[in-house]
Amino acid sequence: MSLVNFSGQNVAEFTITGFDHLPYHKLMGTVILLAYCLALLCSTTNICVISTDRRLHRPMYLLICNLALVDIMFTTGASTTMISILLAGDKTVSYNSCLSRVFIHHLGDVTQCLALSLMALDRTVAISEPLRYATILTNQRAFLLIVVSWLLGIGCIGKMAYIADQLPYCQPVIKYVFCDYAAIIRAACVDPEPYWFVSNIISLWLIAGQLPLILLSYGKLVFTVLSLPSTEKGGRTFRTVISHLIPVFSFYAPKLVSFMLTRVGVRLYLTERNALQIISTLVPPLINPSVYCLQNKEIRGAVLRIFRRNPATATISMPSCSSSNKPTLSTTAQPEISLQPQGRFPCVRMSLVNFSGQNVAEFTITGFDHLPYHKLMGTVILLAYCLALLCSTTNICVISTDRRLHRPMYLLICNLALVDIMFSTGASTTMISVLLAGDKTISYNSCLSRVFIYHLGDVTQCLALSLMALDRTVAISKPLRYATILTNQRVLLLIVVSWLLGIGCIGKLAYIADQLPYCQPVIKYVFCDYAAIIRAACVDPAPYWFMPSLIGLWLIAGQLPLILLSYGKLVFTVLRLPSTEKGGRTFRTVISHFIPVVCYYAPKLVSVLLTRVGVRLNLTERNALQIISTLVPSLINPSVYCLQNKEIRGTVLRVLRRNPVLPSKG
């Protein structure tokens, strides 16, 4: 069916032609790919450093973390499309995928503007009201402002996406370089003029509303500095203003150039508009994390400590009331923190040992204390974690950008890759922080959140493997009815249900853990999990094993037999086929899908079976099983589905081999 001249019907896909007249497609694609990877690396580094270093759990760093997250979303909405066109040679994008990228890109655009406004507000309050800063901008208020900014963005861009989704399309050609609101409105079979009102209002709000507020904030900041006695005027504050204005300039400059040239009657060619789009999409996500990482002394110091710090973990002792403002390192066995509030508040000294039923402020992780070669072990875990992230992200990117893979099995593979990222992140970041940064302490809230993330990944991975088994069983047992039994909508519904089940189960565990008093702030395992923090509570742990035991029983005695029965039925179906139809392909499918199941369940079964036969594992052996059960599945799963799956492997190879001349698709 031709998609041209549809006479008002919705199209199935769009063809993006913005790069058709551009020479050196692969060179341009490589540059965009490198810029995108660098933006992801820098933003992820900021997020990881801030989330793992408890000293950075302050309003300004929460806002930097939010900006990094927005940068990832903003650049992903456009860069993945451009990379797919230039390197994979695939100029078509499905209707639903295009509309979702419009939403992601413009949501990133709006939330980035609001994030820059919040950064300006934070610095203005910090310098104008230094004594009241801690009471005006608390972590809770900063978090609330971030949530409000996201809700505003979702509301605005949700309205635009809804408008775009209601239109009929008869021109399935997008002359821009990626999917955005203006591009798809111009592809509709309607006069586009009435549909610019909402987008113009949002643009006016961003340029004429937010930009003056940002400039006024920094103007007030400069005025405050100039009004100080000359002895207090330092270059530090001006450097802060300049460093914070650089991201503002990089975000607004392309918009202002386009806006002003249009208003004075200069008509931009399509190539020039596309160039401005690429610059406005790639430059801010590159500039923002670089500025806040290189210009910020504390973030820069945290990064440097990862490479310099001795693996023999030192305890951090903050200055007492009479000490200097610089924190000192102590190698004492018991962690003790002296907190010195700024301003007129008295110095409060708080020991975290022997709390006698009070909640602790942080935990100390001692699982690696007796392990030699800390940095070697940390490097291995870091490499394994990075490799798992790379493989899982590759699977997600390949499946999301190739419309031919928008089928139930690949949706399940994509879900499993997302689960792997969450599962390994919940534990690996803590181990890397302990082994490479030498920071054995973790705040209470951070530890509890990682317990939730880790165990949620554990449960949803089990359910994801069950769904994979169901998919393959239906595909081979009922090949003719497969497309009607497992549709994309039903698979998405199953995925959502699996996540809701996981959130319900693990949310209950996290709630139980959060209600307990803690008097032993020492975790003898290698990262935060439910068992570790329950054993640190000032209560008898026995009554609190019922819920996790029930969940464990469900995962092992409930889900595993179903998975084995599914693959057993699959093998039985193959054996019943005529001998001419029995191929090694189906058995290879069974084996390749069974490998992740073995990798996931083997450590759990070893631990359960050894415990049941009376073998008592020591702490080192338990920690080794934890590390294996966390890292190995996340490494194996994406590798199996990438290397064993012909279509995913073919898509990856096309990215590397395809001719740079992009043929038009009729």
Side-chain angles (χ1 to χ4, degrees):
M1 178 178 65
S2 173
L3 297 180
V4 183
N5 301 323
F6 247 33
S7 303
Q9 301 299 315
N10 275 335
V11 297
E13 60 183 21
F14 292 101
T15 302
I16 298 176
T17 62
F19 290 114
D20 275 10
H21 304 290
L22 179 75
Y24 310 113
H25 290 83
K26 285 205 169 177
L27 176 61
M28 183 68 174
T30 304
V31 171
I32 292 174
L33 176 62
L34 291 175
Y36 176 55
C37 291
L38 186 59
L40 286 185
L41 176 64
C42 294
S43 294
T44 307
T45 300
N46 266 353
I47 292 171
C48 289
V49 168
I50 292 168
S51 62
T52 55
D53 193 334
R54 71 192 185 285
R55 288 164 290 191
L56 303 181
H57 294 172
R58 305 202 298 274
M60 184 180 80
Y61 297 101
L62 291 179
L63 297 176
I64 291 175
C65 207
N66 172 57
L67 184 60
L69 183 62
V70 167
D71 283 332
I72 291 173
M73 181 178 65
F74 181 47
T75 187
T76 297
S79 298
T80 51
T81 305
M82 295 189 288
I83 293 165
S84 177
I85 295 169
L86 293 168
L87 294 182
D90 189 359
K91 295 196 293 181
T92 56
V93 58
S94 69
Y95 173 80
N96 289 330
S97 179
C98 188
L99 204 65
S100 65
R101 295 182 199 199
V102 169
F103 180 81
I104 292 170
H105 173 69
H106 287 295
L107 177 59
D109 198 13
V110 171
T111 48
Q112 186 169 65
C113 171
L114 296 174
L116 292 172
S117 300
L118 293 179
M119 295 292 297
L121 172 66
D122 171 82
R123 289 301 83 199
T124 304
V125 174
I127 295 174
S128 302
E129 303 285 347
L131 298 179
R132 296 177 57 206
Y133 173 77
T135 55
I136 295 174
L137 270 184
T138 61
N139 282 352
Q140 291 77 7
R141 287 177 183 171
F143 185 75
L144 179 61
L145 288 171
I146 290 169
V147 170
V148 169
S149 70
W150 278 80
L151 292 177
L152 279 172
I154 291 170
C156 294
I157 306 307
K159 177 64 175 176
M160 290 172 58
Y162 176 78
I163 291 171
D165 191 39
Q166 300 304 305
L167 298 179
Y169 293 92
C170 54
Q171 301 177 42
V173 176
I174 291 177
K175 296 179 181 180
Y176 291 79
V177 289
F178 55 82
C179 295
D180 73 344
Y181 182 78
I184 63 171
I185 289 297
R186 288 192 171 97
C189 309
V190 294
D191 176 17
E193 290 303 322
Y195 299 97
W196 298 132
F197 178 73
V198 173
S199 60
N200 287 339
I201 290 293
I202 294 172
S203 298
L204 191 66
W205 170 44
L206 297 181
I207 295 174
Q210 294 299 309
L211 181 58
L213 289 177
I214 293 173
L215 296 178
L216 283 172
S217 296
Y218 286 116
K220 183 181 179 183
L221 193 153
V222 172
F223 178 76
T224 302
V225 174
L226 292 174
S227 63
L228 295 173
S230 58
T231 54
E232 297 184 43
K233 294 175 189 172
R236 182 180 176 186
T237 304
F238 284 104
R239 284 196 299 272
T240 299
V241 175
I242 292 169
S243 66
H244 282 243
L245 277 175
I246 290 172
V248 174
F249 177 79
S250 66
F251 176 75
Y252 277 103
K255 299 181 186 299
L256 289 173
V257 167
S258 177
F259 181 79
M260 292 174 67
L261 289 178
T262 304
R263 291 298 175 271
V264 297
V266 177
R267 184 177 177 83
L268 295 174
Y269 292 109
L270 192 61
T271 304
E272 294 166 336
R273 287 185 181 276
N274 287 337
L276 280 173
Q277 276 191 313
I278 294 172
I279 290 169
S280 66
T281 302
L282 291 177
V283 172
L286 277 173
I287 294 292
N288 296 346
S290 306
V291 164
Y292 294 118
C293 183
L294 298 175
Q295 292 293 324
N296 190 285
K297 184 178 178 181
E298 291 183 271
I299 294 180
R300 190 169 65 244
V303 173
L304 292 175
R305 278 195 296 274
I306 293 176
F307 299 99
R308 293 179 179 175
R309 198 155 182 177
N310 192 293
T313 307
T315 304
I316 299 170
S317 176
M318 296 302 288
S320 62
C321 293
S322 59
S323 66
S324 66
N325 290 329
K326 295 181 179 179
T328 59
L329 295 177
S330 168
T331 55
T332 55
Q334 295 181 345
E336 188 176 276
I337 294 182
S338 170
L339 301 175
Q340 183 181 0
Q342 295 180 354
R344 53 188 172 81
F345 299 101
C347 184
V348 180
R349 190 170 183 84
M350 178 177 69
S351 173
L352 298 180
V353 184
N354 300 325
F355 247 32
S356 303
Q358 300 299 316
N359 276 333
V360 297
E362 61 183 20
F363 293 102
T364 302
I365 296 174
T366 62
F368 289 114
D369 276 10
H370 303 291
L371 179 76
Y373 310 114
H374 290 78
K375 286 206 170 179
L376 176 61
M377 184 68 175
T379 303
V380 170
I381 293 174
L382 176 61
L383 291 174
Y385 176 56
C386 290
L387 186 59
L389 285 185
L390 176 64
C391 294
S392 295
T393 306
T394 300
N395 268 351
I396 292 171
C397 289
V398 167
I399 293 168
S400 62
T401 56
D402 193 337
R403 72 192 187 285
R404 290 165 292 190
L405 303 181
H406 294 173
R407 303 202 301 274
M409 185 182 78
Y410 298 100
L411 292 179
L412 294 174
I413 292 175
C414 208
N415 173 57
L416 184 60
L418 183 62
V419 168
D420 283 330
I421 291 173
M422 181 177 65
F423 184 45
S424 58
T425 298
S428 299
T429 50
T430 305
M431 295 189 288
I432 292 165
S433 178
V434 173
L435 292 168
L436 293 183
D439 189 359
K440 293 197 295 182
T441 55
I442 181 172
S443 69
Y444 173 81
N445 289 331
S446 180
C447 187
L448 203 65
S449 65
R450 293 184 200 199
V451 168
F452 179 81
I453 291 170
Y454 170 72
H455 287 294
L456 177 59
D458 198 12
V459 171
T460 48
Q461 186 168 65
C462 171
L463 296 174
L465 292 172
S466 300
L467 293 178
M468 295 293 296
L470 171 66
D471 171 81
R472 288 302 84 199
T473 303
V474 174
I476 295 174
S477 302
K478 306 285 184 182
L480 298 179
R481 296 178 57 204
Y482 174 78
T484 56
I485 295 173
L486 279 182
T487 62
N488 283 354
Q489 290 76 9
R490 287 178 183 172
V491 166
L492 283 173
L493 180 62
L494 288 172
I495 290 171
V496 169
V497 169
S498 70
W499 279 81
L500 291 177
L501 279 172
I503 291 170
C505 295
I506 307 308
K508 178 64 176 177
L509 289 183
Y511 176 78
I512 291 171
D514 191 40
Q515 301 304 305
L516 298 178
Y518 293 91
C519 54
Q520 300 177 43
V522 176
I523 291 177
K524 296 178 181 178
Y525 291 80
V526 289
F527 55 82
C528 294
D529 73 343
Y530 181 80
I533 62 171
I534 288 298
R535 290 191 171 99
C538 309
V539 293
D540 176 18
Y544 298 96
W545 297 132
F546 176 74
M547 179 62 72
S549 298
L550 197 61
I551 295 172
L553 188 66
W554 170 47
L555 297 182
I556 295 176
Q559 294 300 310
L560 182 57
L562 289 177
I563 294 172
L564 295 178
L565 283 172
S566 297
Y567 285 115
K569 183 180 179 183
L570 192 153
V571 172
F572 179 72
T573 303
V574 174
L575 291 174
R576 290 176 56 192
L577 295 173
S579 58
T580 54
E581 297 183 41
K582 293 176 187 174
R585 183 180 176 185
T586 305
F587 283 105
R588 284 198 298 273
T589 299
V590 175
I591 293 169
S592 65
H593 281 241
F594 201 66
I595 289 171
V597 175
V598 172
C599 292
Y600 174 78
Y601 277 103
K604 299 181 187 300
L605 289 173
V606 167
S607 178
V608 170
L609 291 172
L610 289 178
T611 305
R612 292 298 175 271
V613 299
V615 177
R616 185 177 178 82
L617 296 175
N618 60 40
L619 194 59
T620 304
E621 293 166 339
R622 287 186 180 275
N623 286 336
L625 277 175
Q626 274 192 311
I627 295 172
I628 292 170
S629 66
T630 302
L631 291 177
V632 172
S634 301
L635 277 172
I636 293 295
N637 295 347
S639 306
V640 163
Y641 295 118
C642 183
L643 297 176
Q644 293 293 324
N645 190 286
K646 185 179 178 180
E647 291 183 271
I648 294 179
R649 188 170 67 244
T651 302
V652 173
L653 291 175
R654 279 196 296 273
V655 173
L656 304 174
R657 293 179 180 174
R658 195 144 183 178
N659 193 290
V661 179
L662 303 181
S664 297
K665 297 184 179 181

